[in-house]
Amino acid sequence: MLYTEENVKAAVRTQDGRRVFWLKEGDRLTPSARDWLQSERIPIETRKKTYTTLFGGEFTEKPEELTHLSGNLLVPKTHPRIAFRGQIDALEAELLLCQHALREKASLVAALQEMLDLVRSLIRADVLDEPVAPVQLCGLSDAELREHSHFPDKYYGQPHFLPAYTDGEAVLRLNRLRTKVRETELSCCRAFADADGKLRRVDILQALNRLSSLCWILMIRCKAGKE
């Protein structure tokens, strides 16, 4: 913030019987504002950045055992929301490994990239409290992803199946990725459940559900020889 002389006059406070002006880190004064403070012999104090906790605690330095939830709000690293972000990080890593393993299959790599982009957007939705954009993956809408994963025989000529070691690397990699998505879904449920059990971020959970649906669709397509 840039303080004008008028702003400064309104922001002067009294502390221990003397007038003082608190200037936050990053804020600036206009020349006239600084001249007025000097003429009034009002000291300029720099207010250090402070951190708060869910229980009302306040710190001027971030303790190692705490981490940012949002803004200057700190929580223990075991907080369910932080655990969820860790699961998202692990899911990103699994997607990258899957892309590398299947790098010779361009269509699968492209599909996995769309999934990776969506996963990365979920962190932004969490941290900034933004809604998740409507899911569209591999040309399929949210409803279509669900429909195709439920009725694969209808769309791909391949019924549901139980994976076996003979199914090949693509199917097995995608199957493991699917389980990682499921783990992240469970973490999401723990992170955003209210005291009464109601989920506050259904949009994030739904996006993860559709990622799981796409994993199964890609497995079906590989099994059917369409990838």
Side-chain angles (χ1 to χ4, degrees):
M1 177 176 178
L2 178 63
Y3 281 90
T4 64
E5 182 177 339
E6 184 178 349
N7 296 146
V8 164
K9 290 178 180 178
V12 168
R13 297 292 181 264
T14 301
Q15 183 179 50
D16 299 326
R18 66 189 182 99
R19 291 189 298 169
V20 63
F21 175 75
W22 293 98
L23 189 67
K24 294 180 182 178
E25 291 183 7
D27 289 346
R28 295 176 296 131
L29 297 169
T30 63
S32 61
R34 189 174 294 277
D35 289 344
W36 182 82
L37 287 168
Q38 290 175 346
S39 68
E40 294 292 317
R41 297 181 179 176
I42 297 173
I44 302 171
E45 303 284 349
T46 300
R47 187 184 296 277
K48 292 184 178 180
K49 183 177 182 179
T50 59
Y51 304 95
T52 59
T53 70
L54 294 172
F55 306 104
E58 188 170 297
F59 301 90
T60 55
E61 293 185 7
K62 186 180 79 64
E64 288 295 329
E65 70 273 15
L66 302 180
T67 190
H68 293 272
L69 181 63
S70 60
N72 67 336
L73 179 61
L74 301 179
V75 295
K77 293 182 179 180
T78 54
H79 190 281
R81 291 266 298 278
I82 304 304
F84 168 68
R85 292 173 189 176
Q87 284 287 347
I88 287 287
D89 194 25
L91 181 55
E92 286 186 33
E94 187 66 29
L95 276 159
L96 290 169
L97 285 171
C98 199
Q99 278 186 308
H100 179 73
L102 304 179
R103 58 189 179 277
E104 301 300 326
K105 298 180 180 292
S107 61
L108 286 180
V109 169
L112 291 165
Q113 185 61 48
E114 289 189 41
M115 297 173 72
L116 181 61
D117 292 341
L118 175 57
V119 169
R120 286 173 172 168
S121 76
L122 298 183
I123 283 292
R124 177 182 176 86
D126 172 21
V127 174
L128 300 182
D129 197 26
E130 295 179 348
V132 177
V135 174
Q136 182 87 14
L137 294 168
C138 297
L140 299 175
S141 67
D142 182 287
E144 288 170 334
L145 286 164
R146 190 171 186 275
E147 171 78 8
H148 284 219
S149 67
H150 282 196
F151 305 101
D153 201 2
K154 174 182 176 182
Y155 293 98
Y156 306 107
Q158 170 63 50
H160 292 288
F161 68 99
L162 292 175
Y165 76 93
T166 53
D167 284 324
E169 184 176 26
V171 170
L172 298 182
R173 288 278 184 178
L174 290 166
N175 186 50
R176 189 170 76 167
L177 176 62
R178 182 185 59 82
T179 67
K180 293 295 184 181
V181 176
R182 289 299 192 192
E183 288 177 6
T184 310
E185 287 181 51
L186 293 175
S187 181
C188 177
C189 290
R190 289 189 289 268
F192 296 106
D194 287 334
D196 60 0
K198 184 178 180 181
L199 195 67
R200 292 183 291 107
R201 293 303 306 261
V202 176
D203 57 337
I204 294 179
L205 182 64
Q206 185 168 322
L208 289 167
N209 274 326
R210 297 307 170 261
L211 283 171
S212 179
S213 296
L214 183 55
C215 285
W216 183 239
I217 290 170
L218 294 176
M219 288 173 64
I220 289 286
R221 289 181 60 85
C222 288
K223 183 75 170 178
K226 298 180 183 298
E227 290 290 350

